Amino acid sequence: MMMALVADAVARAFPFVPSLGRVARFSLDALAAAVTPKFYWKTLLEQMERMCIHCTLPILFVLAPMGAVIALESVKVFSIFGAANMTSSLLAVAMFREIAPVMGGIMVASQTGAEIAAEIAGMRVRGLIDALEVMSVNPRKAVIAPRIVAGLLITPVLTLVGTFTGIAGGYIIAVLVKGSNAGAFMGNLFAWATMTDVVGGLLKAAVFGVMVIVISCYHGFYAGRGAAGVGQATNDSVVHSVVSILVINYFLTTAFFGFDI
Amino acid sequence: MIEYRNVSKSFGDLVVLDDLSCRIPDGKTTMIIGPSGTGKSIFIKLLVGLEKPDRGEVVVDGHVISTLSDRELYEVRKKFGVLFQDGALFDSMNVEENVAFPLREHTRLSEREIREIVAEKLAAVGMPQSGCSWPNELSGGMRKRVALARAIVMEPDIVVFDEPSSALDPVTADSIDNLILEMQHRLKCTFIVVSHDIESTFKIADYIGMLWQGKLIAFGTREEVRQMPNEVVQQFFSRCSQGPIQIVPPVCET
Amino acid sequence: MVIGDTVRQGAFGFLFSELGRYGYFLAETLRYLFYRKFYLGNLIDEMNVIGSRSVPILSAVSAFVGMNLCVEGYIIFKKFGAQNLVGMFVAVANIRELSPLVAGLIVGAKAGTQMAARIGTMRVTDQIDALQVIGVNPFSYLVIPRVAAAVLVMPLVVVVAYFFSTLAAYMVAVLQLGLNGSAFLELVYANITLEDMLKGMVKGSVFGGIVTTISCYSGYRAWGGAWGVGVATNLAVVRMATAMVFFNIFLTEVLFM
């Protein structure tokens, strides 16, 4: 009785708590579906291909300006200390560790995540999910598991591409626009970055990728009725993905890079 | 007085209306019928100025719709009430607010007067006590009734119906037909109904026009069109799949 | 439609024709801002939506962004043995770049996609046509209140984001990194200038305008039932994120350089 009351009060005050439980249940189901036969290899390849094709341009378009802004700000700050050469060192570290995984994750969320949420919500609304169940095809295996695995594998790749785009964007601003020395820029590029930064950034990206796809599939899978339901699912998936990325990122930073604090 | 003068409209390569001319009589119910995809919806959109014709003009009471400025167009549109296919009720407003919306926008009536008018119109369409329900709680037939109440709330001269009986069960469809008949009798204004429902056509139409391949192949009173020897018209009325109207499935290029 | 167009015109042709239509949409919005009736009630509703729906999430998210910024800043400054100066880094990076960007992202993700979805739903269920037939201009009724609300509210939203991220950074500095709390705060105070603050707010305002016009545009041109609403919402997010970071370079260059 008491427990039920407390649970009710918590659910009222924080409406996301019950849905957290549902998300956890959904993720476990999807995980189980992904590791037990049968696995839909062909769908996985299609999804990987689609993710690459649809996400690459957005990621390039977002990360190049981000690198440019970091270079713009840090050229100015470092010039004050007479350490303009360190612009590229800072840029590389910031890109590998933070900007590329986070912005890459956000762009995967807004492109592929929203697309998957809309697609699966559309399947739900048009009765395709039920049709799969009736034909005794498990939609968690056929639809969701391949997408999650694709997110796990492709997001780090996209992030790596994004990292170098960001550095290129920084190069354009620092060297071509602000007139820093090109040799010093390239020479100091990897002065600070270590293998830990690279691997840590890619691990972050993989975590974000899985998280985003699970959230999007969840919202699509439990979409409401009609056009409004599809819009709501897409909206929720983007909000929850972006928020989770930015929140989890702090813990991942502390876990991967915080050992020498 | 509504007149279409040599109206043509196409989207890319697809010709939807081709040199169409007709006069729609005042104070009567005119049904525009035809198979799916023959430009029935465009016929309406041209009339209310949501689309512009490529050639020709649509004239309503001496106003050429496609040449009006925005301000004039919004004035002329006050003559119209339009019932959209699924009602197009604003889902952020409840039934009463939906029906009251045109009044709140265009008149300076007091809240009490608006409430009275809304209650009267809702009663007229057979939904007297449902002002506080929300559009997503209503069935398809009820949404159309509310949409009709919203369409007639400004006392328009012309009421346009886009597929009033589509996606309704036969009993509800018949009740909507009866409602249209009753409203026509009461309001005495021009009704234009776009439909492909033959039974309701014979029930409510005074005049019938048939669209096929972008042209108006038949136009006249109900009996004239019914007796017309044209084989397209007769195929459509007899609900027969053999004849000039054919469904052509797309052919994939390999 | 979107996919078909892309195939027919190629990606770049599609990009330019979309940019042209977006420009036309902006021009129409501006025209009706002065031309027809202004819906003050809708403006207040939309301000309320942005404020009450986005700000709680935004406060939480900016707190985590501030915490992360503080940890990263500490790690980098430690390379020079200047870890005590991290307060300066937090104060400046936050107000100039991170707070406006995070505020724009979250308001875009929450309120912006909702606008795209709502206007898209209204489009595919004929509600926008119904508005026009009733004689209400959809730009005046739907678009302008949303854009104006974002432009007016975003500066305040940026300040809220700034406050929470700085507060969280302070807590991380003291509790996790073991820095001197009062020294940290002194550095923060010393490095916030009113000028930077106002410029950060201007950035936020511009981002608000970008986010809402893109969302409304994407929803307004939605097409093809429930599927079309999903596509519109998806396009809205990608376009707004891209446009925001792109304009961010110019804003930084113009405002802070």
Side-chain angles (χ1 to χ4, degrees):
Chain A
M1 183 62 196
M2 202 54 209
M3 280 304 286
L5 274 180
V6 170
D8 196 49
V10 169
R12 244 170 242 273
F14 305 101
F16 62 91
V17 170
S19 43
L20 270 185
R22 280 200 297 274
V23 174
R25 174 72 200 278
F26 179 81
S27 330
L28 288 181
D29 283 353
L31 186 70
V35 294
T36 51
K38 119 192 208 192
F39 190 77
Y40 288 76
W41 291 101
K42 201 158 163 262
T43 319
L44 171 66
L45 291 179
E46 283 166 11
Q47 291 304 319
M48 286 165 71
E49 186 192 3
R50 189 177 74 164
M51 253 183 106
C52 286
I53 292 175
H54 288 189
C55 282
T56 307
L57 268 186
I59 282 185
L60 298 189
F61 281 153
V62 164
L63 277 159
M66 287 303 288
V69 163
I70 294 175
L72 199 58
E73 292 276 10
S74 55
V75 161
K76 191 187 174 202
V77 173
F78 283 131
S79 305
I80 299 172
F81 304 116
N85 291 342
M86 286 175 182
T87 302
S88 62
S89 323
L90 176 73
L91 177 65
V93 171
M95 270 294 154
F96 274 116
R97 279 191 190 175
E98 295 293 332
I99 310 293
V102 170
M103 289 313 288
I106 288 178
M107 288 324 281
V108 167
S110 27
Q111 177 64 57
T112 299
E115 197 178 322
I116 284 176
E119 183 189 20
I120 297 182
M123 293 174 75
R124 169 62 80 193
V125 168
R126 282 177 293 149
L128 291 186
I129 301 279
D130 293 337
L132 282 177
E133 298 261 21
V134 170
M135 291 186 282
S136 58
V137 175
N138 182 351
R140 288 176 178 79
K141 279 189 200 302
V143 178
I144 289 167
R147 284 172 171 74
I148 294 176
V149 177
L152 172 71
L153 298 177
I154 296 297
T155 317
V157 178
L158 291 169
T159 300
L160 206 56
V161 174
T163 307
F164 290 109
T165 323
I167 293 173
Y171 182 90
I172 291 174
I173 288 289
V175 178
L176 303 182
V177 178
K178 294 281 163 190
S180 301
N181 185 320
F185 186 96
M186 293 314 284
N188 286 312
L189 194 52
F190 294 105
W192 292 355
T194 59
M195 211 51 205
T196 323
D197 297 334
V198 179
V199 174
L202 293 184
L203 278 178
K204 268 187 175 181
V207 173
F208 294 156
V210 170
M211 208 168 63
V212 162
I213 306 289
V214 167
I215 289 173
S216 314
C217 288
Y218 169 80
H219 283 298
F221 206 74
Y222 295 108
R225 281 193 299 166
V230 176
Q232 186 69 44
T234 319
N235 181 355
D236 284 347
S237 87
V238 174
V239 176
H240 293 180
S241 309
V242 172
V243 169
S244 337
I245 288 175
L246 291 174
V247 169
I248 302 284
N249 184 41
Y250 161 72
F251 297 103
L252 292 182
T253 299
T254 309
F256 292 153
F257 310 120
F259 42 78
D260 59 344
I261 287 175
Chain B
M1 185 65 182
I2 301 168
E3 192 177 356
Y4 283 66
R5 292 181 191 150
N6 308 94
V7 174
S8 297
K9 177 80 185 169
S10 44
F11 292 99
D13 300 334
L14 182 72
V15 179
V16 185
L17 294 181
D18 183 15
D19 199 25
L20 179 143
S21 300
C22 70
R23 279 166 181 242
I24 291 172
D26 281 341
K28 300 285 181 195
T29 303
T30 304
M31 298 272 294
I32 303 296
I33 57 172
S36 305
T38 46
K40 298 197 298 287
S41 298
I42 291 298
F43 189 86
I44 290 182
K45 288 194 169 178
L46 290 171
L47 177 62
V48 296
L50 289 171
E51 295 277 352
K52 285 191 172 171
D54 299 339
R55 279 187 305 282
E57 50 198 25
V58 182
V59 187
V60 177
D61 290 341
H63 302 282
V64 179
I65 294 289
S66 51
T67 60
L68 296 177
S69 74
D70 278 0
R71 210 181 279 264
E72 292 162 336
L73 183 59
Y74 280 108
E75 280 307 310
V76 172
R77 275 181 185 157
K78 289 181 191 166
K79 293 180 197 289
F80 287 102
V82 181
L83 192 150
F84 285 90
Q85 219 171 72
D86 197 38
L89 298 177
F90 302 121
D91 40 30
S92 55
M93 305 176 191
N94 67 22
V95 165
E96 185 177 3
E97 288 163 344
N98 258 294
V99 179
F101 184 75
L103 293 173
R104 296 210 167 111
E105 283 304 319
H106 297 310
T107 66
R108 296 184 176 279
L109 297 175
S110 70
E111 261 322 281
R112 206 171 54 87
E113 288 168 308
I114 288 179
R115 271 171 198 283
E116 276 169 16
I117 297 175
V118 168
E120 179 205 332
K121 300 296 177 194
L122 280 176
V125 297
M127 306 271 299
Q129 303 292 328
S130 41
C132 55
S133 345
W134 291 85
N136 57 6
E137 300 164 359
L138 302 178
S139 70
M142 292 194 254
R143 274 205 296 276
K144 288 194 179 177
R145 283 169 184 271
V146 175
L148 180 57
R150 187 178 71 184
I152 62 175
V153 77
M154 290 285 286
E155 318 257 312
D157 302 336
I158 302 155
V159 185
V160 182
F161 299 78
D162 191 0
E163 309 258 356
S165 50
S166 72
L168 295 181
D169 66 79
V171 175
T172 317
D174 189 57
S175 74
I176 296 284
D177 288 348
N178 286 335
L179 184 65
I180 294 175
L181 272 178
E182 190 193 322
M183 283 293 149
Q184 218 296 321
H185 190 67
R186 194 187 301 181
L187 300 173
K188 304 262 183 268
C189 58
T190 310
F191 275 28
I192 299 174
V193 185
V194 157
S195 178
H196 50 222
D197 185 336
I198 297 151
E199 272 178 54
S200 67
T201 305
F202 289 146
K203 187 164 178 183
I204 61 181
D206 297 319
Y207 290 83
I208 296 177
M210 176 147 179
L211 277 176
W212 193 58
Q213 294 188 334
K215 291 191 184 292
L216 200 61
I217 55 163
F219 192 87
T221 62
R222 175 167 57 183
E223 289 311 314
E224 281 170 17
V225 174
R226 205 171 185 173
Q227 308 301 336
M228 209 167 263
N230 186 317
E231 48 180 334
V232 178
V233 176
Q234 287 311 321
Q235 186 200 349
F236 195 71
F237 285 161
S238 60
R239 306 188 67 218
C240 173
S241 58
Q242 308 294 318
I245 307 175
Q246 287 296 334
I247 299 157
V248 185
V251 179
C252 299
E253 295 163 28
T254 46
Chain C
M1 176 180 68
V2 168
I3 294 163
D5 276 2
T6 319
V7 172
R8 235 172 291 132
Q9 308 170 334
F12 276 95
F14 178 68
L15 179 69
F16 284 118
S17 62
E18 276 297 300
L19 276 179
R21 290 197 202 100
Y22 175 62
Y24 183 70
F25 183 85
L26 285 185
E28 289 281 282
T29 309
L30 264 184
R31 184 157 78 95
Y32 288 115
L33 179 60
F34 304 109
Y35 182 60
R36 291 186 67 85
K37 187 167 162 185
F38 192 83
Y39 289 85
L40 194 65
N42 289 15
L43 172 73
I44 291 167
D45 285 351
E46 293 304 327
M47 288 168 93
N48 187 20
V49 165
I50 296 176
S52 63
R53 299 253 176 84
S54 312
V55 166
I57 297 185
L58 177 65
S59 336
V61 169
S62 352
F64 280 96
V65 170
M67 286 152 77
N68 193 47
L69 183 70
C70 193
V71 172
E72 278 294 348
Y74 180 88
I75 296 170
I76 288 171
F77 276 65
K78 211 178 167 201
K79 291 184 200 294
F80 310 108
Q83 61 267 47
N84 291 324
L85 290 180
V86 75
M88 177 190 85
F89 172 70
V90 167
V92 174
N94 241 339
I95 192 59
R96 287 189 172 185
E97 299 293 336
L98 276 176
S99 293
L101 210 52
V102 170
L105 260 177
I106 297 296
V107 168
K110 183 83 189 163
T113 52
Q114 195 148 27
M115 287 172 196
R118 273 210 32 73
I119 295 184
T121 308
M122 291 187 76
R123 165 61 79 198
V124 302
T125 55
D126 291 340
Q127 291 177 51
I128 290 187
D129 285 352
L131 267 183
Q132 281 185 316
V133 168
I134 288 171
V136 172
N137 185 285
F139 282 91
S140 312
Y141 191 77
L142 297 173
V143 178
I144 289 169
R146 286 174 163 80
V147 177
V151 170
L152 294 176
V153 169
M154 276 301 279
L156 301 178
V157 174
V158 169
V159 173
V160 173
Y162 186 57
F163 174 76
F164 279 101
S165 61
T166 312
L167 184 71
Y170 168 76
M171 284 163 68
V172 163
V174 174
L175 299 175
Q176 187 183 0
L177 307 173
L179 296 172
N180 183 325
S182 53
F184 181 90
L185 279 186
E186 258 167 45
L187 269 172
V188 170
Y189 285 137
N191 288 287
I192 304 179
T193 59
L194 184 63
E195 201 191 338
D196 273 7
M197 197 87 166
L198 289 177
K199 286 172 175 173
M201 289 159 81
V202 170
K203 258 193 178 182
S205 215
V206 175
F207 289 162
I210 292 174
V211 160
T212 42
T213 48
I214 289 181
S215 315
C216 292
Y217 167 75
S218 304
Y220 198 78
R221 286 187 44 82
W223 176 90
W227 174 81
V229 177
V231 172
T233 317
N234 184 355
L235 281 174
V237 209
V238 177
R239 287 168 178 167
M240 72 173 81
T242 316
M244 229 161 21
V245 293
F246 192 71
F247 275 97
N248 189 30
I249 310 181
F250 297 105
L251 287 171
T252 300
E253 174 72 32
V254 170
L255 293 173
F256 297 115
M257 291 300 127

